[in-house]
Amino acid sequence: YDKGTFNIIDEYQGNGNDNQGGDNIYHYIEVVLNKPYKAGLHFGDPQSGEHRSLTSGTSNANILRRHGIIFKSQKTSIRNRIAAARNILGRVRVSEHCLLTKEMFISWQFKRQATGNMSNPLPDHGEYSHLGEAFSYFAFNYRERSKNNKRTKVYRVNNLSGVTL
């Protein structure tokens, strides 16, 4: 354990259908609760996390909280999240078991603009975007939280797919 290093030790990404991941928050809860790690904070997309479902009338964040999972996240721009992720990237160490995460760090990139204008770059939405988004939400929220609380050490990142740090 090196102080200031972020160790990514596990990963999970649902396959996008309702039976495994996708919109099934209960599947995600089952996966998280069956992990052998102590409870931590979960950072993720506040838009989808706090958005109330028309069918249940509650949000995924509230469902997570009812199951004892702490979900917190602040809304910010993609630019701020990417900047926060870049700021900690040199301190990230990825387990050999986290193949998707390693691929995400190598392959996730900005979209090529048709006009060649890169003044407002957006990350590509592809097979690595959910892990990339999860990592960028973690990086931004970790930075914001660490301004107020230096003692929290275990974090989970999710975008209903995620990386455990």
Side-chain angles (χ1 to χ4, degrees):
Y1 171 74
D2 296 327
K3 190 172 185 172
T5 300
F6 299 94
N7 295 295
I8 299 177
I9 60 169
D10 198 356
E11 65 185 8
Y12 169 78
Q13 181 168 305
N15 66 9
N17 70 41
D18 288 340
N19 296 327
Q20 185 184 29
D23 293 330
N24 189 342
I25 190 66
Y26 297 101
H27 171 77
Y28 178 76
I29 291 167
E30 183 180 340
V31 168
V32 169
L33 295 179
N34 284 313
K35 294 289 183 178
Y37 316 118
K38 68 180 182 175
L41 294 175
H42 291 248
F43 296 129
D45 181 353
Q47 176 66 25
S48 62
E50 297 292 350
H51 182 71
R52 293 186 183 277
S53 165
L54 292 176
T55 55
S56 71
T58 190
S59 69
N60 283 340
N62 284 336
I63 294 169
L64 290 170
R65 290 177 188 123
R66 281 198 314 250
H67 285 84
I69 297 172
I70 303 167
F71 177 86
K72 296 180 181 266
S73 199
Q74 294 182 21
K75 189 171 182 166
T76 190
S77 69
I78 293 171
R79 186 176 298 224
N80 286 344
R81 288 189 286 116
I82 297 295
R86 285 180 172 160
N87 284 339
I88 68 169
L89 199 53
R91 297 183 291 152
V92 173
R93 191 168 37 197
V94 182
S95 166
E96 64 187 39
H97 304 290
C98 299
L99 301 177
L100 288 172
T101 302
K102 287 181 176 187
E103 279 296 317
M104 177 272 298
F105 282 125
I106 294 168
S107 303
W108 194 45
Q109 57 189 327
F110 287 109
K111 289 181 188 177
R112 294 196 190 275
Q113 302 289 326
T115 63
N117 180 4
M118 291 299 288
S119 62
N120 189 20
L122 294 174
D124 187 31
H125 188 75
E127 68 181 300
Y128 304 109
S129 60
H130 288 288
L131 286 172
E133 292 281 326
F135 180 73
S136 70
Y137 273 112
F138 164 75
F140 176 77
N141 285 285
Y142 172 81
R143 183 187 71 196
E144 294 301 305
R145 181 157 177 82
S146 67
K147 288 178 184 176
N148 301 322
N149 181 0
K150 298 283 186 188
R151 297 178 59 176
T152 304
K153 294 183 182 175
V154 176
Y155 303 94
R156 292 219 170 90
V157 217
N158 71 69
N159 199 5
L160 297 186
S161 62
V163 181
T164 302
L165 296 165

